[in-house]
Amino acid sequence: MPYPSDDARDRPWVMRTYAGHSSARASNELYRRNLEKGQTGLSVAFDLPTQTGYDPDHELAKGEVGKVGVPVSHIGDMRALFDGIPLNDANTSMTINATAMWMLALYVTVADEHGADRAKLAGTTQNDIVKEYLSRGTYAFPPGPSVRLITDMIAWTYTNVPKWNPINICSYHLQEAGATPTQEVAYTLSTAIAVLDAVRDSGQVPPERFAEVVGRISFFVNAGLHFIEEIAKLRAFAQLWDELCRERYGVEDAKLRRFRYGVQVNSLGLTEAQPENNVQRIVLEMLAVTLSRDARARAVQLPAWNEALGLPRPWDQQWALRMQQVLAYETDLLDHDDVFAGSHVMEAKTASIVEGARAEMAKVAEMGGAVPAVDSGYMKSQLVSSLAQRRMRLESGEDTVVGVNKFTSTEPSPLQAEGADAIFTVEKSVEEEAARAVQEWRSSRDQEAADAALARLREAATTDENLMEATLACARAGVTTGEWSAALRDVFGSYRAPTGVSAATSGSGEAPEDLAAIRARVRATAEEMGTASLRMLVGKPGLDGHSNGAEQIAVRARDAGFEVIYQGIRLTPAEIVAAAVQEGVHVVGLSVLSGSHLEVVPAVLDGLARAGAEDIPVVVGGIIPPDDAEQLQRLGVHRVVTPKTYSLTGIMGEFVDVIREVHGLDAATGSPTPVAGS
């Protein structure tokens, strides 16, 4: 749906649920059901191999296929994904970044096959690679070439698919990575500047038409529970974006300066403890982005109440959709002019965020813009520090999360009475079938045509030619996602983003009493073992790029006196084992949030055993159901911690306990620290 019309009673947003799993055909069935229930747009979730440019049979894809979204390996999968869905009438959002150009090429090719008019295709590719280096980790290429891909997409869609939003500059994951409202606004708009400057300077758009390109830029934001602050943040976004469009890019048409944004409310703010509380959290966050008519979301998608436990079922997604429909069609909350206009509180809060964001944007500009600020590690370290400070406030009780660090007594939840059936799980056979299917696809296509298309893509990548047409040719020739990405990696190279851990701080002043106690235990244990320090390896196996937890463990472990080895995301089990052996670590901590724990963790355990290092204990953290946790412990994992275990300092105590157990030391030294919430 478009922006609000002059009639304030119009229901002014596209209603979506973020969905996709297992296979293209299974996801197509889900999309059709959701559209029948009144959903007005599609929001496609892709699995991690698709997002990072690997086919289902690649080593790094093990355990990740179909877990957090749908695998799309080639044009055949895209055909199946949208079978029976008229693309001329669809409004499709695709959460895809590194491979955004490839997914758009597949989508447009399928639309062509449907006989759809390209000029009528409506939707969005997220395509904000900058935030992937800061938060979500699904990048494939270095920052410079990634911005080139975005530039080419924007220039191509402006001419060929004029209703398409070619980039959805995304602050959502910045908030989850720790960004304050000021940082969220500043870093997002700094990214917008980097992208628009690149498009302008590429010469692919006539200067007199550049305002139209600016008008196609959209945003994707997060909404947390600080209700007033979130509304003020969105007003600050709108004010600064309007100012930027006018002053930097000379956009005179007010409609083209409109801050167009969609929102997903804060999924990582959902709790595993007392998950029924997530319902009211979701509703309050939805209100923050819909009540202020002057800063209202263009599209809203809500998580399900149980996403902190695992993949939601269709019924859970239906509940999230019904929340939006009740607000839109049963209440009068949308029937008035902006209810916050003239509020002194709101104006003061908005002004504060605007002032802070301007100052932070100036710092980024002094570094040369968003890309150099990413490459240097500055922005990442700022986010890791902000999240570390937030965690400290949670653990000290300064910040309250109901059911987690306060009001923790609870009755059994009837919503969870079904146990494991209360969440959706992906069968292991899905990965096996996807790997077999992509191999069959390769063997049945015209290989000469595929090879020629890939050669043409590599050649174009060495020039300043727009890469969209070469990518469309690859789509038509049956090239796979992994092959398209590998061809560009051949030219652009690979990249490992700064972790931000070394420069991060968790606060100033004296350490809290419980952390000081853990430091004493770490020192005492090292002395008893006759080593200078206790060494911990923090590992992120597989393609799971949600590194916030791993980074916070690394920062807190360093603060607790451990020597920490953390090499960032996207490591194979073999690389983790090699690092553990080479560094002579005393404990390995693995962080897995994508649901691949039953595949990647045993691979690490097996690797340690083959290397003669089975005496190195392994601790696993992530979104891990109780039955899976028991299975991992039977396989040899010493501890499993989940989001319920909110005390990072308590987890450090668990690490010390494990080391002492393995080395036969008296567990009473320094007295173990109980893990809060466990």
Side-chain angles (χ1 to χ4, degrees):
M1 294 175 70
Y3 257 92
S5 72
D6 292 334
D7 181 358
R9 295 180 181 275
D10 284 353
R11 305 305 156 191
W13 66 80
V14 177
M15 296 185 186
R16 297 183 172 119
T17 54
Y18 182 52
H21 65 84
S22 301
S23 69
R25 295 204 177 279
S27 298
N28 174 263
E29 293 173 6
L30 177 62
Y31 296 162
R32 289 191 189 199
R33 286 202 304 272
N34 287 346
L35 290 170
E36 289 170 0
K37 292 172 183 174
Q39 193 170 293
T40 56
L42 296 173
S43 182
V44 181
F46 295 97
D47 72 354
L48 288 176
T50 304
Q51 292 183 51
T52 50
Y54 296 99
D55 289 334
D57 58 347
H58 192 279
E59 178 188 12
L60 277 170
K62 185 173 178 56
E64 308 283 11
V65 177
K67 286 282 176 66
V68 299
V70 57
V72 175
S73 302
H74 46 70
I75 188 66
D77 286 340
M78 192 65 85
R79 288 170 184 148
L81 189 63
F82 290 100
D83 183 37
I85 298 174
L87 297 189
N88 253 356
D89 300 327
N91 189 309
T92 305
S93 171
M94 294 192 280
T95 302
I96 198 76
N97 297 286
T99 56
M101 178 180 283
W102 176 240
M103 289 300 130
L104 179 61
L106 293 177
Y107 187 86
V108 170
T109 301
V110 169
D112 289 345
E113 293 175 351
H114 286 192
D117 182 353
R118 286 185 179 183
K120 293 182 179 178
L121 293 181
T124 302
T125 33
Q126 189 173 98
N127 204 20
D128 176 3
I129 200 63
V130 173
K131 69 99 171 59
E132 296 299 321
Y133 304 116
L134 300 176
S135 53
R136 213 164 139 267
T138 65
Y139 52 82
F141 316 112
S146 294
V147 172
R148 183 252 179 105
L149 290 173
I150 295 170
T151 298
D152 286 354
M153 273 186 70
I154 291 173
W156 186 87
T157 55
Y158 147 78
T159 302
N160 294 276
V161 195
K163 289 188 176 181
W164 195 266
N165 299 308
I167 186 170
N168 201 220
I169 297 174
C170 183
S171 73
Y172 176 84
H173 300 95
L174 301 185
Q175 185 182 111
E176 293 195 337
T180 64
T182 293
Q183 290 170 329
E184 189 177 342
V185 173
Y187 296 163
T188 302
L189 294 182
S190 294
T191 297
I193 290 171
V195 168
L196 285 173
D197 281 4
V199 175
R200 180 194 60 198
D201 297 345
S202 75
Q204 296 188 66
V205 177
E208 67 273 14
R209 305 294 298 275
F210 190 70
E212 296 171 30
V213 171
V214 177
R216 294 313 305 166
I217 302 297
S218 62
F219 295 82
F220 187 65
V221 307
N222 204 330
L225 274 169
H226 288 188
F227 185 75
I228 301 301
E229 186 174 64
E230 290 299 321
I231 297 172
K233 177 187 77 180
L234 292 163
R235 287 168 161 257
F237 256 132
Q239 179 180 328
L240 285 169
W241 178 243
D242 183 81
E243 179 183 295
L244 188 64
C245 292
R246 277 187 292 106
E247 297 181 3
R248 190 180 187 95
Y249 301 114
V251 180
E252 297 179 0
D253 188 337
K255 288 183 179 179
L256 298 180
R257 299 196 306 266
R258 183 177 285 153
F259 181 68
R260 303 183 310 128
Y261 78 95
V263 65
Q264 160 85 28
V265 306
N266 189 10
S267 293
L268 283 190
L270 305 181
T271 64
E272 181 184 359
Q274 298 181 18
E276 61 275 8
N277 293 336
N278 294 330
V279 176
Q280 52 264 36
R281 292 186 178 106
I282 292 166
V283 170
L284 284 168
E285 290 164 345
M286 173 178 62
L287 289 172
V289 297
T290 54
L291 287 190
S292 177
R293 191 174 187 273
D294 292 344
R296 182 171 290 156
R298 182 173 181 265
V300 179
Q301 58 192 47
L302 304 180
W305 68 279
N306 56 352
E307 284 194 21
L309 308 175
L311 291 175
R313 302 157 297 182
W315 183 86
D316 304 309
Q317 292 186 329
Q318 174 182 293
W319 192 359
L321 174 62
R322 297 294 185 247
M323 291 180 197
Q324 296 192 60
Q325 290 168 330
V326 169
L327 169 65
Y329 297 106
E330 293 190 29
T331 78
D332 67 345
L333 293 174
L334 308 180
D335 292 349
H336 307 283
D337 290 336
D338 198 303
V339 295
F340 296 100
S343 164
H344 297 302
V345 171
M346 189 61 68
E347 289 174 359
K349 190 67 178 175
T350 301
S352 173
I353 294 174
V354 166
E355 181 181 358
R358 280 200 185 110
E360 189 63 19
M361 288 170 70
K363 286 184 187 177
V364 171
E366 287 173 7
M367 297 176 189
V371 171
V374 165
D375 239 346
S376 69
Y378 169 75
M379 292 205 299
K380 180 66 173 177
S381 66
Q382 293 296 106
L383 297 180
V384 174
S385 295
S386 292
L387 186 55
Q389 291 156 22
R390 187 191 301 171
R391 294 289 315 203
M392 280 290 194
R393 293 195 301 272
L394 172 67
E395 293 177 41
S396 70
E398 182 181 349
D399 289 353
T400 295
V401 178
V402 173
V404 174
N405 67 347
K406 199 169 185 179
F407 312 116
T408 55
S409 62
T410 186
E411 298 294 333
S413 169
L415 290 174
Q416 295 178 272
E418 299 167 283
D421 292 334
I423 59 173
F424 178 81
T425 57
V426 175
E427 296 293 332
K428 188 175 182 180
S429 60
V430 164
E431 183 169 308
E432 297 166 352
E433 291 169 6
R436 184 169 58 252
V438 77
Q439 291 163 8
E440 291 175 356
W441 175 269
R442 293 193 203 105
S443 66
S444 63
R445 70 186 175 186
D446 181 340
Q447 190 61 44
E448 286 188 10
D451 289 343
L454 287 167
R456 177 73 187 91
L457 177 66
R458 290 189 190 92
E459 178 187 0
T462 63
T463 71
D464 60 1
E465 177 185 335
N466 189 302
L467 293 176
M468 194 66 199
E469 290 297 337
T471 296
L472 283 161
C474 285
R476 291 190 292 267
V479 165
T480 68
T481 298
E483 291 170 333
W484 178 85
S485 301
L488 292 182
R489 284 188 176 100
D490 288 345
V491 179
F492 297 152
S494 297
Y495 184 76
R496 188 172 292 281
T499 68
V501 168
S502 60
T505 61
S506 55
S508 57
E510 201 169 311
E513 185 178 336
D514 56 349
L515 183 57
I518 294 298
R519 283 179 181 170
R521 293 193 70 214
V522 169
R523 283 195 302 271
T525 301
E527 289 171 3
E528 289 180 65
M529 292 172 58
T531 184
S533 61
L534 296 186
R535 291 184 297 283
M536 176 193 304
L537 173 69
V538 178
K540 286 287 296 177
L543 295 176
D544 172 24
H546 284 94
S547 58
N548 299 340
E551 290 154 2
Q552 293 307 307
I553 287 288
V555 170
R556 189 63 58 85
R558 185 191 63 198
D559 290 347
F562 284 92
E563 180 183 338
V564 179
I565 295 93
Y566 176 56
Q567 299 171 327
I569 64 171
R570 211 175 300 170
L571 299 173
T572 65
E575 288 171 328
I576 291 173
V577 169
V581 172
Q582 182 178 346
E583 298 287 348
V585 301
H586 300 104
V587 63
V588 172
L590 301 178
S591 171
V592 186
L593 290 171
S594 64
S596 63
H597 44 270
L598 291 181
E599 290 82 14
V600 295
V601 174
V604 172
L605 293 172
D606 291 345
L608 288 171
R610 287 195 301 273
E614 61 269 26
D615 58 332
I616 300 177
V618 174
V619 177
V620 178
I623 300 175
I624 301 172
D627 290 348
D628 290 359
E630 291 178 10
Q631 183 174 342
L632 290 174
Q633 288 177 310
R634 286 195 298 270
L635 291 172
V637 170
H638 283 71
R639 296 285 193 282
V640 176
V641 294
T642 72
K644 279 185 180 178
T645 315
Y646 74 88
S647 171
L648 295 183
T649 300
I651 292 172
M652 296 305 112
E654 290 282 293
F655 281 129
V656 177
D657 291 345
V658 165
I659 293 171
R660 297 188 68 83
E661 289 169 13
V662 168
H663 290 273
L665 302 177
D666 181 3
T669 299
S671 68
T673 302
V675 179
S678 63

